[in-house]
Amino acid sequence: GKSARVVATTHRDLEALAERGAFDAGLAAELSTEVREVPPLRQRPDDIVPLALLFAEEAGEGARARFSPGALARLRSYPWPGNVLELRNAMERAVVLASGSEILAEHLPGEGMTDGADGRLREHVDSVERDAIVRALAEANHNQTHAAKKLGLSRRALIYKMEKYGLKPPPGTARKRR
Protein backbone atom coordinates (compact mmCIF):
# COMPACT_ATOMS: atom_id res chain seq x y z
CA GLY A 1 0.00 0.00 0.00
CA LYS A 2 0.87 3.65 -0.33
CA SER A 3 1.96 5.67 2.65
CA ALA A 4 1.54 9.35 3.24
CA ARG A 5 3.79 11.70 5.13
CA VAL A 6 2.30 14.55 7.10
CA VAL A 7 4.32 17.69 7.70
CA ALA A 8 2.89 20.02 10.34
CA THR A 9 4.33 23.33 11.47
CA THR A 10 3.60 25.24 14.63
CA HIS A 11 5.26 27.62 17.05
CA ARG A 12 3.29 26.08 19.95
CA ASP A 13 4.29 23.30 22.37
CA LEU A 14 1.79 20.59 21.38
CA GLU A 15 2.71 18.33 24.31
CA ALA A 16 1.97 21.11 26.81
CA LEU A 17 -1.32 21.87 25.03
CA ALA A 18 -2.25 18.16 25.10
CA GLU A 19 -1.50 17.99 28.86
CA ARG A 20 -3.94 20.89 29.39
CA GLY A 21 -6.54 19.20 27.20
CA ALA A 22 -6.31 21.98 24.59
CA PHE A 23 -4.95 19.62 21.89
CA ASP A 24 -5.65 15.96 21.06
CA ALA A 25 -3.06 13.85 22.94
CA GLY A 26 -3.04 11.06 20.33
CA LEU A 27 -2.41 13.49 17.50
CA ALA A 28 0.32 15.27 19.50
CA ALA A 29 2.05 11.92 20.06
CA GLU A 30 1.71 11.04 16.37
CA LEU A 31 3.14 14.38 15.26
CA SER A 32 6.01 14.31 17.76
CA THR A 33 7.75 11.30 16.15
CA GLU A 34 10.19 13.47 14.22
CA VAL A 35 10.38 17.05 15.52
CA ARG A 36 12.71 19.51 13.87
CA GLU A 37 13.36 22.96 15.31
CA VAL A 38 13.62 25.54 12.54
CA PRO A 39 14.85 28.96 13.62
CA PRO A 40 12.95 32.03 12.38
CA LEU A 41 13.96 33.45 9.00
CA ARG A 42 15.65 36.51 10.59
CA GLN A 43 18.11 34.07 12.24
CA ARG A 44 18.86 32.45 8.85
CA PRO A 45 19.88 35.46 6.72
CA ASP A 46 21.67 33.27 4.15
CA ASP A 47 18.34 31.59 3.29
CA ILE A 48 16.46 34.81 2.49
CA VAL A 49 17.71 35.62 -1.03
CA PRO A 50 17.62 32.01 -2.35
CA LEU A 51 14.07 31.59 -0.99
CA ALA A 52 13.03 34.97 -2.42
CA LEU A 53 14.38 33.94 -5.83
CA LEU A 54 12.53 30.61 -5.70
CA PHE A 55 9.23 32.22 -4.62
CA ALA A 56 9.54 35.03 -7.20
CA GLU A 57 10.14 32.48 -9.98
CA GLU A 58 7.17 30.38 -8.79
CA ALA A 59 4.99 33.53 -8.72
CA GLY A 60 6.27 34.52 -12.17
CA GLU A 61 5.45 31.04 -13.48
CA GLY A 62 9.09 30.14 -14.06
CA ALA A 63 10.26 33.47 -15.49
CA ARG A 64 13.77 34.35 -14.27
CA ALA A 65 13.46 36.82 -11.38
CA ARG A 66 15.83 39.79 -11.23
CA PHE A 67 16.41 41.91 -8.12
CA SER A 68 17.91 45.41 -8.09
CA PRO A 69 20.79 45.97 -5.63
CA GLY A 70 18.36 48.00 -3.46
CA ALA A 71 15.85 45.12 -3.46
CA LEU A 72 18.59 42.68 -2.38
CA ALA A 73 19.61 45.06 0.43
CA ARG A 74 15.99 45.37 1.58
CA LEU A 75 15.47 41.59 1.47
CA ARG A 76 18.50 41.17 3.75
CA SER A 77 17.67 44.04 6.15
CA TYR A 78 13.95 43.42 6.67
CA PRO A 79 13.22 41.32 9.84
CA TRP A 80 10.52 39.09 8.20
CA PRO A 81 8.28 38.81 11.29
CA GLY A 82 5.91 36.59 9.29
CA ASN A 83 8.78 34.26 8.38
CA VAL A 84 8.75 32.21 5.16
CA LEU A 85 5.02 32.73 4.55
CA GLU A 86 5.48 36.52 4.63
CA LEU A 87 8.47 36.22 2.26
CA ARG A 88 6.41 34.10 -0.17
CA ASN A 89 3.50 36.60 -0.09
CA ALA A 90 5.91 39.52 -0.52
CA MET A 91 7.46 37.86 -3.58
CA GLU A 92 4.04 37.19 -5.12
CA ARG A 93 3.15 40.87 -4.63
CA ALA A 94 6.57 42.09 -5.88
CA VAL A 95 6.29 40.02 -9.08
CA VAL A 96 2.89 41.60 -9.79
CA LEU A 97 4.17 45.13 -9.02
CA ALA A 98 7.33 44.65 -11.13
CA SER A 99 5.18 43.35 -14.04
CA GLY A 100 7.97 41.49 -15.79
CA SER A 101 10.72 43.99 -14.96
CA GLU A 102 13.40 43.93 -12.29
CA ILE A 103 12.08 43.76 -8.72
CA LEU A 104 12.94 47.02 -6.96
CA ALA A 105 13.23 47.93 -3.26
CA GLU A 106 9.89 49.78 -3.37
CA HIS A 107 8.15 46.55 -4.45
CA LEU A 108 9.13 44.98 -1.10
CA PRO A 109 8.11 45.51 2.53
CA GLY A 110 10.51 47.35 4.78
CA GLU A 111 12.21 50.71 4.45
CA GLY A 112 13.94 50.50 7.83
CA MET A 113 11.01 49.90 10.14
CA THR A 114 12.67 51.97 12.86
CA ASP A 115 11.61 55.57 12.19
CA GLY A 116 7.90 55.92 11.56
CA ALA A 117 7.56 52.20 12.29
CA ASP A 118 3.89 52.43 13.33
CA GLY A 119 2.81 53.91 10.01
CA ARG A 120 4.91 51.50 8.01
CA LEU A 121 3.72 48.55 10.05
CA ARG A 122 0.09 49.62 9.48
CA GLU A 123 0.87 49.98 5.76
CA HIS A 124 2.44 46.52 5.74
CA VAL A 125 -0.50 44.96 7.61
CA ASP A 126 -2.88 46.67 5.15
CA SER A 127 -0.97 45.29 2.16
CA VAL A 128 -0.99 41.77 3.64
CA GLU A 129 -4.73 42.07 4.39
CA ARG A 130 -5.46 43.43 0.90
CA ASP A 131 -3.46 40.57 -0.71
CA ALA A 132 -5.38 38.01 1.41
CA ILE A 133 -8.71 39.51 0.30
CA VAL A 134 -7.67 39.51 -3.38
CA ARG A 135 -6.56 35.86 -3.10
CA ALA A 136 -9.72 34.77 -1.22
CA LEU A 137 -11.96 36.50 -3.78
CA ALA A 138 -10.09 34.85 -6.66
CA GLU A 139 -10.27 31.41 -4.98
CA ALA A 140 -14.01 31.92 -4.32
CA ASN A 141 -14.58 33.00 -7.95
CA HIS A 142 -15.52 36.48 -6.65
CA ASN A 143 -18.35 35.11 -4.49
CA GLN A 144 -18.18 37.56 -1.57
CA THR A 145 -20.03 35.28 0.86
CA HIS A 146 -17.60 32.39 0.26
CA ALA A 147 -14.55 34.70 0.33
CA ALA A 148 -15.74 36.27 3.61
CA LYS A 149 -16.23 32.81 5.17
CA LYS A 150 -12.72 31.76 4.00
CA LEU A 151 -11.28 34.91 5.66
CA GLY A 152 -13.32 34.52 8.85
CA LEU A 153 -15.18 37.79 8.21
CA SER A 154 -18.81 38.72 7.82
CA ARG A 155 -19.81 39.60 4.26
CA ARG A 156 -20.47 43.19 5.43
CA ALA A 157 -16.91 43.41 6.89
CA LEU A 158 -15.47 42.04 3.64
CA ILE A 159 -17.37 44.65 1.58
CA TYR A 160 -16.14 47.41 3.92
CA LYS A 161 -12.55 46.22 3.50
CA MET A 162 -12.98 45.90 -0.29
CA GLU A 163 -14.13 49.54 -0.38
CA LYS A 164 -11.23 50.57 1.92
CA TYR A 165 -8.67 48.98 -0.44
CA GLY A 166 -10.42 50.04 -3.66
CA LEU A 167 -11.27 46.47 -4.65
CA LYS A 168 -14.31 46.66 -6.86
CA PRO A 169 -15.84 43.45 -8.20
CA PRO A 170 -15.02 42.86 -11.90
CA PRO A 171 -17.63 44.17 -14.38
CA GLY A 172 -20.52 41.80 -14.99
CA THR A 173 -20.32 40.08 -11.59
CA ALA A 174 -22.48 42.60 -9.74
CA ARG A 175 -26.22 41.94 -9.74
CA LYS A 176 -28.11 44.35 -11.97
CA ARG A 177 -30.63 46.53 -10.15
CA ARG A 178 -33.96 47.29 -11.79
Side-chain angles (χ1 to χ4, degrees):
K2 291 185 178 183
S3 68
R5 184 175 195 167
V6 175
V7 177
T9 62
T10 183
H11 62 281
R12 298 216 166 104
D13 182 347
L14 296 184
E15 287 177 24
L17 289 172
E19 285 172 19
R20 291 200 325 256
F23 193 83
D24 183 84
L27 182 56
E30 197 68 38
L31 291 173
S32 70
T33 57
E34 192 178 324
V35 174
R36 295 209 175 131
E37 293 286 327
V38 180
L41 195 53
R42 69 184 163 275
Q43 290 176 14
R44 299 179 285 137
D46 294 343
D47 291 350
I48 294 170
V49 173
L51 283 170
L53 197 58
L54 174 74
F55 296 151
E57 289 181 359
E58 284 175 0
E61 294 169 0
R64 175 110 173 85
R66 297 180 336 272
F67 294 100
S68 72
L72 289 171
R74 183 162 299 175
L75 282 170
R76 291 185 186 109
S77 67
Y78 184 71
W80 301 107
N83 284 309
V84 175
L85 182 61
E86 181 185 11
L87 179 61
R88 179 187 294 272
N89 290 340
M91 288 305 100
E92 289 172 1
R93 184 172 184 269
V95 165
V96 170
L97 292 172
S99 59
S101 299
E102 184 177 58
I103 294 172
L104 305 174
E106 55 260 32
H107 298 145
L108 300 171
E111 196 140 46
M113 293 185 91
T114 48
D115 61 275
D118 290 351
R120 288 206 191 87
L121 184 59
R122 177 77 251 155
E123 191 177 53
H124 176 68
V125 169
D126 285 353
S127 81
V128 170
E129 183 175 60
R130 183 184 190 282
D131 293 352
I133 290 169
V134 169
R135 190 173 301 115
L137 284 165
E139 289 171 4
N141 202 20
H142 296 280
N143 179 311
Q144 293 172 355
T145 304
H146 293 243
K149 192 172 287 182
K150 187 183 221 50
L151 292 163
L153 297 171
S154 68
R155 184 169 176 272
R156 183 177 297 206
L158 175 64
I159 291 167
Y160 166 78
K161 288 177 184 292
M162 287 172 66
E163 287 171 359
K164 174 182 172 183
Y165 299 122
L167 302 170
K168 306 267 187 287
T173 58
R175 289 197 186 98
K176 292 194 168 60
R177 290 196 175 144
R178 294 186 177 165

PDB file of all heavy atoms in Angstrom, residues 135-157:
ATOM      1  N   ARG A 135      -6.736  37.306  -2.899  1.00  0.00           N
ATOM      2  CA  ARG A 135      -6.556  35.863  -3.100  1.00  0.00           C
ATOM      3  C   ARG A 135      -7.847  35.111  -2.766  1.00  0.00           C
ATOM      4  O   ARG A 135      -8.280  34.246  -3.518  1.00  0.00           O
ATOM      5  CB  ARG A 135      -5.394  35.364  -2.247  1.00  0.00           C
ATOM      6  CG  ARG A 135      -4.984  33.933  -2.584  1.00  0.00           C
ATOM      7  CD  ARG A 135      -3.716  33.460  -1.874  1.00  0.00           C
ATOM      8  NE  ARG A 135      -2.577  34.305  -2.194  1.00  0.00           N
ATOM      9  CZ  ARG A 135      -1.942  35.069  -1.315  1.00  0.00           C
ATOM     10  NH1 ARG A 135      -2.306  35.091  -0.062  1.00  0.00           N
ATOM     11  NH2 ARG A 135      -0.932  35.803  -1.679  1.00  0.00           N
ATOM     12  N   ALA A 136      -8.476  35.459  -1.632  1.00  0.00           N
ATOM     13  CA  ALA A 136      -9.716  34.772  -1.224  1.00  0.00           C
ATOM     14  C   ALA A 136     -10.825  34.995  -2.246  1.00  0.00           C
ATOM     15  O   ALA A 136     -11.562  34.060  -2.579  1.00  0.00           O
ATOM     16  CB  ALA A 136     -10.159  35.242   0.159  1.00  0.00           C
ATOM     17  N   LEU A 137     -10.941  36.209  -2.759  1.00  0.00           N
ATOM     18  CA  LEU A 137     -11.961  36.497  -3.782  1.00  0.00           C
ATOM     19  C   LEU A 137     -11.694  35.687  -5.047  1.00  0.00           C
ATOM     20  O   LEU A 137     -12.621  35.118  -5.632  1.00  0.00           O
ATOM     21  CB  LEU A 137     -12.001  37.995  -4.111  1.00  0.00           C
ATOM     22  CG  LEU A 137     -12.692  38.876  -3.079  1.00  0.00           C
ATOM     23  CD1 LEU A 137     -12.350  40.344  -3.314  1.00  0.00           C
ATOM     24  CD2 LEU A 137     -14.207  38.668  -3.106  1.00  0.00           C
ATOM     25  N   ALA A 138     -10.427  35.622  -5.452  1.00  0.00           N
ATOM     26  CA  ALA A 138     -10.087  34.849  -6.658  1.00  0.00           C
ATOM     27  C   ALA A 138     -10.408  33.368  -6.450  1.00  0.00           C
ATOM     28  O   ALA A 138     -11.013  32.731  -7.311  1.00  0.00           O
ATOM     29  CB  ALA A 138      -8.615  35.038  -7.007  1.00  0.00           C
ATOM     30  N   GLU A 139     -10.025  32.825  -5.280  1.00  0.00           N
ATOM     31  CA  GLU A 139     -10.274  31.408  -4.984  1.00  0.00           C
ATOM     32  C   GLU A 139     -11.765  31.112  -4.881  1.00  0.00           C
ATOM     33  O   GLU A 139     -12.199  30.002  -5.167  1.00  0.00           O
ATOM     34  CB  GLU A 139      -9.550  30.989  -3.700  1.00  0.00           C
ATOM     35  CG  GLU A 139      -8.036  30.916  -3.882  1.00  0.00           C
ATOM     36  CD  GLU A 139      -7.288  30.714  -2.577  1.00  0.00           C
ATOM     37  OE1 GLU A 139      -7.924  30.545  -1.512  1.00  0.00           O
ATOM     38  OE2 GLU A 139      -6.042  30.739  -2.624  1.00  0.00           O
ATOM     39  N   ALA A 140     -12.554  32.102  -4.457  1.00  0.00           N
ATOM     40  CA  ALA A 140     -14.009  31.917  -4.318  1.00  0.00           C
ATOM     41  C   ALA A 140     -14.741  32.362  -5.593  1.00  0.00           C
ATOM     42  O   ALA A 140     -15.958  32.529  -5.572  1.00  0.00           O
ATOM     43  CB  ALA A 140     -14.521  32.700  -3.112  1.00  0.00           C
ATOM     44  N   ASN A 141     -13.988  32.564  -6.687  1.00  0.00           N
ATOM     45  CA  ASN A 141     -14.576  32.998  -7.952  1.00  0.00           C
ATOM     46  C   ASN A 141     -15.410  34.272  -7.771  1.00  0.00           C
ATOM     47  O   ASN A 141     -16.495  34.388  -8.322  1.00  0.00           O
ATOM     48  CB  ASN A 141     -15.382  31.860  -8.582  1.00  0.00           C
ATOM     49  CG  ASN A 141     -15.556  32.052 -10.073  1.00  0.00           C
ATOM     50  OD1 ASN A 141     -14.799  32.796 -10.704  1.00  0.00           O
ATOM     51  ND2 ASN A 141     -16.549  31.403 -10.638  1.00  0.00           N
ATOM     52  N   HIS A 142     -14.916  35.174  -6.947  1.00  0.00           N
ATOM     53  CA  HIS A 142     -15.522  36.485  -6.651  1.00  0.00           C
ATOM     54  C   HIS A 142     -16.868  36.394  -5.933  1.00  0.00           C
ATOM     55  O   HIS A 142     -17.621  37.351  -5.906  1.00  0.00           O
ATOM     56  CB  HIS A 142     -15.598  37.369  -7.904  1.00  0.00           C
ATOM     57  CG  HIS A 142     -14.233  37.698  -8.416  1.00  0.00           C
ATOM     58  ND1 HIS A 142     -13.457  38.685  -7.859  1.00  0.00           N
ATOM     59  CD2 HIS A 142     -13.479  37.115  -9.374  1.00  0.00           C
ATOM     60  CE1 HIS A 142     -12.290  38.706  -8.472  1.00  0.00           C
ATOM     61  NE2 HIS A 142     -12.273  37.764  -9.386  1.00  0.00           N
ATOM     62  N   ASN A 143     -17.150  35.241  -5.326  1.00  0.00           N
ATOM     63  CA  ASN A 143     -18.350  35.110  -4.492  1.00  0.00           C
ATOM     64  C   ASN A 143     -17.977  35.689  -3.122  1.00  0.00           C
ATOM     65  O   ASN A 143     -17.168  35.116  -2.390  1.00  0.00           O
ATOM     66  CB  ASN A 143     -18.749  33.633  -4.375  1.00  0.00           C
ATOM     67  CG  ASN A 143     -19.961  33.431  -3.498  1.00  0.00           C
ATOM     68  OD1 ASN A 143     -20.037  33.951  -2.391  1.00  0.00           O
ATOM     69  ND2 ASN A 143     -20.904  32.649  -3.989  1.00  0.00           N
ATOM     70  N   GLN A 144     -18.557  36.851  -2.800  1.00  0.00           N
ATOM     71  CA  GLN A 144     -18.182  37.563  -1.574  1.00  0.00           C
ATOM     72  C   GLN A 144     -18.518  36.780  -0.319  1.00  0.00           C
ATOM     73  O   GLN A 144     -17.767  36.798   0.650  1.00  0.00           O
ATOM     74  CB  GLN A 144     -18.847  38.942  -1.545  1.00  0.00           C
ATOM     75  CG  GLN A 144     -18.314  39.857  -2.627  1.00  0.00           C
ATOM     76  CD  GLN A 144     -19.104  41.147  -2.734  1.00  0.00           C
ATOM     77  OE1 GLN A 144     -20.107  41.331  -2.072  1.00  0.00           O
ATOM     78  NE2 GLN A 144     -18.625  42.043  -3.584  1.00  0.00           N
ATOM     79  N   THR A 145     -19.637  36.061  -0.316  1.00  0.00           N
ATOM     80  CA  THR A 145     -20.032  35.278   0.859  1.00  0.00           C
ATOM     81  C   THR A 145     -19.000  34.190   1.142  1.00  0.00           C
ATOM     82  O   THR A 145     -18.556  34.017   2.284  1.00  0.00           O
ATOM     83  CB  THR A 145     -21.432  34.663   0.653  1.00  0.00           C
ATOM     84  OG1 THR A 145     -22.341  35.733   0.353  1.00  0.00           O
ATOM     85  CG2 THR A 145     -21.907  33.914   1.880  1.00  0.00           C
ATOM     86  N   HIS A 146     -18.583  33.467   0.089  1.00  0.00           N
ATOM     87  CA  HIS A 146     -17.598  32.395   0.257  1.00  0.00           C
ATOM     88  C   HIS A 146     -16.235  32.958   0.647  1.00  0.00           C
ATOM     89  O   HIS A 146     -15.551  32.397   1.511  1.00  0.00           O
ATOM     90  CB  HIS A 146     -17.481  31.559  -1.028  1.00  0.00           C
ATOM     91  CG  HIS A 146     -18.708  30.768  -1.337  1.00  0.00           C
ATOM     92  ND1 HIS A 146     -18.730  29.400  -1.383  1.00  0.00           N
ATOM     93  CD2 HIS A 146     -19.980  31.160  -1.603  1.00  0.00           C
ATOM     94  CE1 HIS A 146     -19.948  28.983  -1.668  1.00  0.00           C
ATOM     95  NE2 HIS A 146     -20.730  30.037  -1.812  1.00  0.00           N
ATOM     96  N   ALA A 147     -15.842  34.071   0.010  1.00  0.00           N
ATOM     97  CA  ALA A 147     -14.548  34.696   0.326  1.00  0.00           C
ATOM     98  C   ALA A 147     -14.535  35.168   1.781  1.00  0.00           C
ATOM     99  O   ALA A 147     -13.551  34.976   2.497  1.00  0.00           O
ATOM    100  CB  ALA A 147     -14.270  35.863  -0.620  1.00  0.00           C
ATOM    101  N   ALA A 148     -15.647  35.783   2.226  1.00  0.00           N
ATOM    102  CA  ALA A 148     -15.735  36.266   3.609  1.00  0.00           C
ATOM    103  C   ALA A 148     -15.596  35.108   4.584  1.00  0.00           C
ATOM    104  O   ALA A 148     -14.860  35.196   5.575  1.00  0.00           O
ATOM    105  CB  ALA A 148     -17.060  36.997   3.829  1.00  0.00           C
ATOM    106  N   LYS A 149     -16.294  33.996   4.301  1.00  0.00           N
ATOM    107  CA  LYS A 149     -16.234  32.809   5.169  1.00  0.00           C
ATOM    108  C   LYS A 149     -14.792  32.292   5.234  1.00  0.00           C
ATOM    109  O   LYS A 149     -14.280  31.975   6.302  1.00  0.00           O
ATOM    110  CB  LYS A 149     -17.176  31.732   4.620  1.00  0.00           C
ATOM    111  CG  LYS A 149     -17.403  30.584   5.585  1.00  0.00           C
ATOM    112  CD  LYS A 149     -18.477  29.642   5.082  1.00  0.00           C
ATOM    113  CE  LYS A 149     -19.850  30.264   5.211  1.00  0.00           C
ATOM    114  NZ  LYS A 149     -20.937  29.390   4.786  1.00  0.00           N
ATOM    115  N   LYS A 150     -14.110  32.228   4.083  1.00  0.00           N
ATOM    116  CA  LYS A 150     -12.722  31.764   4.000  1.00  0.00           C
ATOM    117  C   LYS A 150     -11.800  32.644   4.851  1.00  0.00           C
ATOM    118  O   LYS A 150     -10.858  32.164   5.463  1.00  0.00           O
ATOM    119  CB  LYS A 150     -12.304  31.783   2.532  1.00  0.00           C
ATOM    120  CG  LYS A 150     -10.967  31.202   2.213  1.00  0.00           C
ATOM    121  CD  LYS A 150     -10.730  31.395   0.725  1.00  0.00           C
ATOM    122  CE  LYS A 150     -10.105  30.277  -0.002  1.00  0.00           C
ATOM    123  NZ  LYS A 150     -10.487  28.963   0.034  1.00  0.00           N
ATOM    124  N   LEU A 151     -12.100  33.958   4.899  1.00  0.00           N
ATOM    125  CA  LEU A 151     -11.279  34.907   5.657  1.00  0.00           C
ATOM    126  C   LEU A 151     -11.703  35.034   7.121  1.00  0.00           C
ATOM    127  O   LEU A 151     -11.058  35.732   7.891  1.00  0.00           O
ATOM    128  CB  LEU A 151     -11.351  36.292   4.992  1.00  0.00           C
ATOM    129  CG  LEU A 151     -10.680  36.406   3.622  1.00  0.00           C
ATOM    130  CD1 LEU A 151     -11.162  37.652   2.898  1.00  0.00           C
ATOM    131  CD2 LEU A 151      -9.175  36.413   3.762  1.00  0.00           C
ATOM    132  N   GLY A 152     -12.829  34.405   7.477  1.00  0.00           N
ATOM    133  CA  GLY A 152     -13.323  34.520   8.849  1.00  0.00           C
ATOM    134  C   GLY A 152     -13.954  35.870   9.119  1.00  0.00           C
ATOM    135  O   GLY A 152     -13.922  36.378  10.238  1.00  0.00           O
ATOM    136  N   LEU A 153     -14.530  36.481   8.088  1.00  0.00           N
ATOM    137  CA  LEU A 153     -15.176  37.788   8.207  1.00  0.00           C
ATOM    138  C   LEU A 153     -16.660  37.659   7.886  1.00  0.00           C
ATOM    139  O   LEU A 153     -17.073  36.713   7.232  1.00  0.00           O
ATOM    140  CB  LEU A 153     -14.588  38.772   7.180  1.00  0.00           C
ATOM    141  CG  LEU A 153     -13.124  39.151   7.271  1.00  0.00           C
ATOM    142  CD1 LEU A 153     -12.719  39.949   6.039  1.00  0.00           C
ATOM    143  CD2 LEU A 153     -12.866  39.966   8.519  1.00  0.00           C
ATOM    144  N   SER A 154     -17.429  38.648   8.302  1.00  0.00           N
ATOM    145  CA  SER A 154     -18.814  38.720   7.824  1.00  0.00           C
ATOM    146  C   SER A 154     -18.750  39.290   6.410  1.00  0.00           C
ATOM    147  O   SER A 154     -17.777  39.942   6.033  1.00  0.00           O
ATOM    148  CB  SER A 154     -19.650  39.632   8.722  1.00  0.00           C
ATOM    149  OG  SER A 154     -19.212  40.975   8.570  1.00  0.00           O
ATOM    150  N   ARG A 155     -19.788  39.066   5.628  1.00  0.00           N
ATOM    151  CA  ARG A 155     -19.813  39.595   4.261  1.00  0.00           C
ATOM    152  C   ARG A 155     -19.752  41.127   4.312  1.00  0.00           C
ATOM    153  O   ARG A 155     -19.061  41.758   3.519  1.00  0.00           O
ATOM    154  CB  ARG A 155     -21.073  39.123   3.531  1.00  0.00           C
ATOM    155  CG  ARG A 155     -21.104  39.575   2.082  1.00  0.00           C
ATOM    156  CD  ARG A 155     -22.207  38.880   1.290  1.00  0.00           C
ATOM    157  NE  ARG A 155     -22.230  39.422  -0.054  1.00  0.00           N
ATOM    158  CZ  ARG A 155     -22.929  40.485  -0.421  1.00  0.00           C
ATOM    159  NH1 ARG A 155     -23.681  41.130   0.464  1.00  0.00           N
ATOM    160  NH2 ARG A 155     -22.886  40.928  -1.652  1.00  0.00           N
ATOM    161  N   ARG A 156     -20.458  41.725   5.287  1.00  0.00           N
ATOM    162  CA  ARG A 156     -20.465  43.187   5.432  1.00  0.00           C
ATOM    163  C   ARG A 156     -19.044  43.701   5.706  1.00  0.00           C
ATOM    164  O   ARG A 156     -18.625  44.705   5.130  1.00  0.00           O
ATOM    165  CB  ARG A 156     -21.409  43.585   6.561  1.00  0.00           C
ATOM    166  CG  ARG A 156     -21.539  45.083   6.733  1.00  0.00           C
ATOM    167  CD  ARG A 156     -22.524  45.429   7.795  1.00  0.00           C
ATOM    168  NE  ARG A 156     -23.852  44.947   7.399  1.00  0.00           N
ATOM    169  CZ  ARG A 156     -24.986  45.469   7.819  1.00  0.00           C
ATOM    170  NH1 ARG A 156     -24.954  46.469   8.664  1.00  0.00           N
ATOM    171  NH2 ARG A 156     -26.122  44.987   7.436  1.00  0.00           N
ATOM    172  N   ALA A 157     -18.293  43.001   6.584  1.00  0.00           N
ATOM    173  CA  ALA A 157     -16.913  43.411   6.893  1.00  0.00           C
ATOM    174  C   ALA A 157     -16.029  43.290   5.648  1.00  0.00           C
ATOM    175  O   ALA A 157     -15.182  44.147   5.396  1.00  0.00           O
ATOM    176  CB  ALA A 157     -16.345  42.569   8.031  1.00  0.00           C
TER     177      ALA A 157
END
